[in-house]
Amino acid sequence: MRRSLLSSLRAHMGRLVAACLAIVLGVGFGALAMTAHSSASHGIDETIGAQYKGVDAYAYPNRAELKPTDVAKAKALPEVAEVVPKTTAYMEVAFPGVIRPDSIPIDALQNTTKIAVPSLAGGKLPTANDEIALPNKLAAKYKVVVGQSLRITSYDKKSFTVKVVGLIDDKSAFGQGAAVATLAAVKLFEPGGYIQALAVAGKDGMSQQAVADAVQKTLSADIEVYTGKAWIEHEIKNYTNGIDVLGGVFGMFAVIALFVACLVISNTFTIVIAQRTREMALLRCVGASKRQVFSSVLAEATVVGVIASAIGVVFGIALSALALALSREFDWGIPPVSLHLDLSSIFLPLLLGTVATIVAAVVPARRATKVAPLAALRPESAPAAASKRGVLRLIFGFMLLGGGGALLAYGAGQQNVPVGVGGGVISFLGMLAVGTLLVPALIKVLGALPARTGVPARIAVANAVRNPKRTAATTAALLIGVTLISMTCVGIASVRKTFDVSMDGQYPVDLTVATYNEKLPAGAEQQLKAIKGITAVVPIKTVTIKTKGEEYQVTGIDQATAGSVIHNPGLADSLKPGTALVDYGTLHRLGLKEGAKVTIVSGKNSLPVTLKIGLGLEPFNLTATDLAKLAPNAPTTGYWLASDPKADGAEVIDSVSQSLPSVKELSVSGGLAKRTAYTKIFDVLLAVGIGLLGVSVLIALVGVGNTLSLSVLERTRENALLRAMGLTRRQLRSMLAIESLLMALVAAGLGIALGLIYGWAGTSALMGGQTKDGSVEYAVPVGLLVTIAAIAAVAGLLASVLPARRAAKVAPAGALATE
């Protein structure tokens, strides 16, 4: 059987190329995901570990405060060599060329020989009270060099002039790093600063646990003391939670890719074994047992799986190394990470790919043993969905579809994500099971129109539905990919729309620009309008009133233009004469309820109004007309701004913050920062989801092309007969293109329909409990869905190119002689 196996692999390797490619893509993607996750985690381990080098114990306050007496107690311990208190001052730094200062933390630099100090990218560490070392990235941002002097200001408005003597190497830092100064300087900058933690180095020969236990005994029980290793693990966990979640997402998509690859592999082996029926029968006739035939097919699958999986692992690692190299070369906003390989990222994808190939080949291998030797010498007719096994499969499929659909609806209605996910998986398995009935029926319906255009189209439709099981299996792989991509697009679009509506309720105004105790310049409105990304600017006037011993700011805005900056249309419509929009906090402090009628008094003027909830605005909001009645001379104290949704929110906020240079203190607030942050997350999720799921679609298209290639071989005599009867090569290629296009369009249509259902149900389950009123907004990203369908159609046509060329090259006379 070994010689038979080797000769079979040599003879049929061309037919197994598609299966190999599917394995390479699936395993490569898994190896890429695991290698990227391993490299990122290892990079964080090294980065954080370097920061706490030499620390044997770390005291961190949970519910208590660390005091100087605690430092003294720790230093007095016989197990302790050094104690470094972690102290930080938060200062405003006036950088050159910047209108308003920026906030940075300044850490106290301690004298230590055992515990690591910040490494330098240039210059030296501070030694005097008027010296400071800046993070290298921050210095580069504001073009600050060593030797330059800066003016820094504390929270209580005390100013200091410091000299930049060094640049801290922060290329591996996460987020903005802290500057450093001497301990005496930090105490000078912020005298009331508290001790954030204690880093303790033990004496030589002392274990970390012994040092930590000794320190813990001297401190309050509310101050938790970690060993140095345990604290590093604690910090790593804080940083890698997101990476672990992302690793889980990558792993999920890798499993999807392998599952789709399994469908392609199973379909490939099914067709290959069906074409080798006579070969298998002859082996049985010359003495091969069922077990030997079964083992030979599995051995063939094992060889293919091992080789293709090994190639996939190399391919995935190479892509991971390339991506990490690009992240180091270009500024992607993440610390540079080097490639790190571990045994799991190499051998686990290899094992999974091999096992997946073997599992996918089990059913075809069993089918190969169930045909009697003499009966197998006769051509086998294509299996029909109407067989007893097919009928049972359909019944079981409809049961899964109904039960899963019920669970899906329940999960969406009760905001139960696990139940909804389970229902989605079960219902989708049911959809795959009834595919032998549904897919051919849809192909007939879809192919009715092109069938009228000529003979090639009619033959294409007939060929597509001739073997329902194979057609369903072919479209299943593509159906999975399109469904997942559509679900991702619909889900993210719906979540984004729900979030936008929720944000409009909580933060109806993008940006509010205000000043206190200062007069705004005459051209302020025009200056703000000139900022790129700002679409509307509406001035507001304020007056301060007193009631029940408390002061309230009453804001007035022009009713006619308020709608241009208030995103919530209902809120904008509520702003009318005689109505005051107030927030819940104001109502609570006043002891009133919505709908109450009150009279606002300012000096000798009074104004009766009806109170109505206005979330996200100022405490009291009136129309400009009403405010003029209350305070005719109320000054313009600020502006409400609306921004372009397509603009970079962070850049818009920076530009607004640095505008109006004649104003010393400018307050910029609003929901734009949060909206922008979440929008970026949604964009990244959408891009990552589509990119990752695109791999499964690519594998599915390999399966479509593979099925067409094998069907060409299977129908060699039939195609030759058609050619002999007058079918041209061009018509033959058109026939196969139409067949592939019909399968791709049916898979795309079904996938998009399922994606809409699953996306909406998932949004209901996920977001129903997150909004204040439980409402969920559903979205249909028409452009994306049309693009998905178009890509699937084009890909289906491309998948038919090589099989069609192969079919067209066969001479009719030679093909008719093929057995």
Side-chain angles (χ1 to χ4, degrees):
M1 291 302 293
R2 183 174 60 85
R3 289 195 298 272
S4 173
L5 169 65
L6 294 175
S7 62
S8 175
L9 283 172
R10 285 194 298 268
H12 302 290
M13 183 52 70
R15 303 181 186 183
L16 296 172
V17 167
C20 291
L21 184 56
I23 301 166
V24 168
L25 290 172
V27 172
F29 184 64
L32 168 64
M34 295 191 68
T35 303
H37 178 257
S38 172
S39 299
S41 297
H42 183 262
I44 291 178
D45 291 358
E46 288 192 333
T47 301
I48 296 177
Q51 296 177 13
Y52 296 99
K53 186 178 181 181
V55 175
D56 292 317
Y58 199 85
Y60 187 81
N62 283 331
R63 296 175 297 276
E65 181 179 342
L66 282 166
K67 300 177 181 179
T69 54
D70 293 324
V71 180
K73 290 178 182 178
K75 285 183 176 180
L77 291 171
E79 296 89 350
V80 172
E82 289 181 352
V83 177
V84 175
K86 299 292 183 179
T87 307
T88 303
Y90 296 91
M91 308 292 287
E92 297 282 336
V93 182
F95 290 104
V98 178
I99 296 173
R100 293 181 183 85
D102 193 3
S103 299
I104 64 167
I106 303 178
D107 289 342
L109 186 64
Q110 304 280 349
N111 292 323
T112 175
T113 57
K114 287 181 172 289
I115 296 176
V117 295
S119 58
L120 291 168
K124 65 169 189 173
L125 290 173
T127 55
N129 292 351
D130 61 347
E131 294 179 343
I132 191 175
L134 287 179
N136 196 31
K137 292 179 184 177
L138 186 68
K141 177 181 177 181
Y142 291 109
K143 298 179 181 179
V144 177
V145 297
V146 173
Q148 188 170 338
S149 295
L150 297 174
R151 193 70 178 168
I152 64 175
T153 306
S154 63
Y155 71 95
D156 55 357
K157 305 304 179 183
K158 292 182 179 178
S159 295
F160 307 87
T161 300
V162 294
K163 183 179 180 181
V164 178
V165 296
L167 300 177
I168 299 170
D169 184 6
D170 60 347
K171 65 176 180 293
S172 298
F174 293 86
Q176 180 178 313
V180 296
T182 64
L183 176 60
V186 170
K187 288 182 177 180
L188 187 65
F189 298 154
E190 194 170 325
Y194 62 93
I195 300 173
Q196 298 169 322
L198 295 180
V200 181
K203 290 184 178 178
D204 294 340
M206 298 298 300
S207 68
Q208 289 192 353
Q209 191 61 56
V211 175
D213 290 342
V215 174
Q216 182 70 78
K217 290 177 181 179
T218 65
L219 302 180
S220 166
D222 292 331
I223 298 174
E224 190 168 359
V225 180
Y226 299 80
T227 63
K229 183 179 179 182
W231 177 252
I232 292 174
E233 291 174 353
H234 175 271
E235 288 291 275
I236 288 173
K237 185 178 180 181
N238 287 338
Y239 280 107
T240 58
N241 272 340
I243 291 179
D244 290 338
V245 170
L246 186 60
V249 172
F250 270 80
M252 180 185 71
F253 286 127
V255 170
I256 292 170
L258 276 177
F259 178 67
V260 176
C262 284
L263 292 176
V264 176
I265 296 163
S266 180
N267 199 29
T268 300
F269 273 96
T270 297
I271 298 171
V272 169
I273 289 172
Q275 291 179 328
R276 290 163 52 190
T277 300
R278 289 174 178 255
E279 178 186 325
M280 297 290 182
L282 286 173
L283 288 174
R284 294 290 311 282
C285 286
V286 296
S289 65
K290 289 185 178 182
R291 181 177 181 180
Q292 287 177 313
V293 171
F294 181 81
S295 300
S296 69
V297 175
L298 289 189
E300 188 175 324
T302 302
V303 173
V304 171
V306 170
I307 294 175
S309 297
I311 296 173
V313 169
V314 174
F315 176 67
I317 292 174
L319 282 182
S320 181
L322 176 62
L324 293 174
L326 290 175
S327 72
R328 293 192 296 270
E329 184 70 22
F330 302 100
D331 184 12
W332 288 356
I334 58 175
V337 175
S338 300
L339 181 68
H340 175 74
L341 298 177
D342 53 26
L343 293 178
S344 61
S345 59
I346 296 174
F347 289 103
L348 187 57
L350 179 66
L351 178 63
L352 287 176
T354 304
V355 171
T357 307
I358 296 172
V359 170
V362 167
V363 174
R366 289 188 61 193
R367 189 176 294 121
T369 65
K370 289 186 178 181
V371 182
L374 293 178
L377 293 175
R378 297 190 300 270
E380 183 182 17
S381 58
S387 65
K388 183 177 180 181
R389 181 177 298 176
V391 172
L392 292 176
R393 175 176 174 170
L394 289 176
I395 294 173
F396 183 64
F398 280 116
M399 290 175 62
L400 288 177
L401 194 59
L407 287 176
L408 184 67
Y410 178 83
Q414 300 298 318
Q415 291 85 51
N416 192 318
V417 176
V419 172
V421 171
V425 172
I426 293 172
S427 61
F428 191 78
L429 291 176
M431 180 61 67
L432 293 179
V434 302
T436 53
L437 178 66
L438 186 60
V439 172
L442 291 175
I443 289 178
K444 284 183 180 179
V445 173
L446 191 62
L449 184 60
R452 298 179 181 179
T453 61
V455 173
R458 289 200 299 271
I459 298 174
V461 175
N463 285 339
V465 300
R466 178 185 299 177
N467 191 326
K469 192 171 184 180
R470 187 176 65 194
T471 302
T474 302
T475 57
L478 184 56
L479 174 63
I480 292 172
V482 173
T483 299
L484 290 171
I485 290 180
S486 302
M487 179 185 70
T488 302
C489 294
V490 172
I492 291 178
S494 298
V495 170
R496 174 182 285 184
K497 187 176 180 181
T498 302
F499 172 79
D500 286 343
V501 172
S502 178
M503 284 290 293
D504 289 344
Q506 296 181 51
Y507 303 97
V509 178
D510 283 339
L511 289 174
T512 298
V513 174
T515 182
Y516 305 101
N517 303 320
E518 286 187 77
K519 187 177 180 180
L520 287 166
E525 184 174 346
Q526 294 304 319
Q527 291 182 47
L528 292 172
K529 284 182 177 179
I531 295 175
K532 184 179 179 181
I534 296 298
T535 58
V537 178
V538 176
I540 57 173
K541 296 182 177 182
T542 61
V543 63
T544 302
I545 64 169
K546 291 184 178 180
T547 180
K548 295 184 178 181
E550 292 192 38
E551 290 188 347
Y552 295 91
Q553 290 286 336
V554 178
T555 302
I557 185 169
D558 184 13
Q559 180 184 1
T561 57
S564 64
V565 291
I566 298 177
H567 292 301
N568 189 339
L571 197 58
D573 293 340
S574 299
L575 186 67
K576 53 189 177 182
T579 300
L581 301 180
V582 296
D583 58 20
Y584 282 115
T586 302
L587 279 179
H588 179 72
R589 287 195 298 273
L590 292 173
L592 299 173
K593 294 183 179 180
E594 185 176 16
K597 297 183 183 297
V598 299
T599 299
I600 305 175
V601 179
S602 176
K604 296 181 180 181
N605 301 319
S606 62
L607 179 71
V609 294
T610 301
L611 301 183
K612 189 170 184 179
I613 293 296
L615 294 179
L617 301 179
E618 304 298 332
F620 261 103
N621 303 272
L622 304 174
T623 64
T625 305
D626 280 351
L627 186 68
K629 296 176 183 177
L630 191 65
N633 299 319
T636 298
T637 55
Y639 300 90
W640 287 357
L641 281 60
S643 65
D644 185 350
K646 297 180 181 178
D648 188 315
E651 292 182 1
V652 172
I653 294 172
D654 285 343
S655 299
V656 172
S657 299
Q658 296 301 319
S659 65
L660 309 181
S662 63
V663 178
K664 293 181 179 180
E665 293 186 8
L666 190 69
S667 170
V668 180
S669 59
L672 182 60
K674 184 172 287 188
R675 188 190 298 270
T676 300
Y678 279 100
T679 298
K680 287 184 177 180
I681 292 173
F682 290 139
D683 289 340
V684 170
L685 286 176
L686 185 61
V688 170
I690 292 177
L692 300 185
L693 292 170
V695 176
S696 65
V697 175
L698 179 61
I699 298 172
L701 293 176
V702 169
V704 174
N706 178 50
T707 300
L708 285 175
S709 298
L710 294 174
S711 67
V712 166
L713 295 173
E714 193 178 62
R715 301 198 302 253
T716 300
R717 290 173 59 86
E718 176 187 326
N719 291 337
L721 183 60
L722 291 172
R723 289 289 314 284
M725 294 176 65
L727 197 70
T728 65
R729 289 183 176 180
R730 183 177 180 180
Q731 288 176 318
L732 183 61
R733 287 194 293 265
S734 298
M735 180 186 74
L736 290 171
I738 293 172
E739 183 179 347
S740 176
L741 179 62
L742 288 173
M743 287 191 289
L745 287 177
V746 166
L750 270 177
I752 290 172
L754 291 173
L756 282 169
I757 296 172
Y758 291 145
W760 289 340
T763 304
S764 295
L766 186 64
M767 298 297 295
Q770 305 299 320
T771 56
K772 287 185 177 296
D773 56 358
S775 61
V776 175
E777 301 292 329
Y778 301 109
V780 181
V782 177
L784 281 174
L785 297 181
V786 170
T787 302
I788 292 170
I791 291 174
V794 172
L797 289 174
L798 292 177
S800 70
V801 172
L802 291 179
R805 289 186 61 187
R806 189 178 296 115
K809 286 182 179 180
V810 178
L816 287 172
T818 302
E819 288 293 333

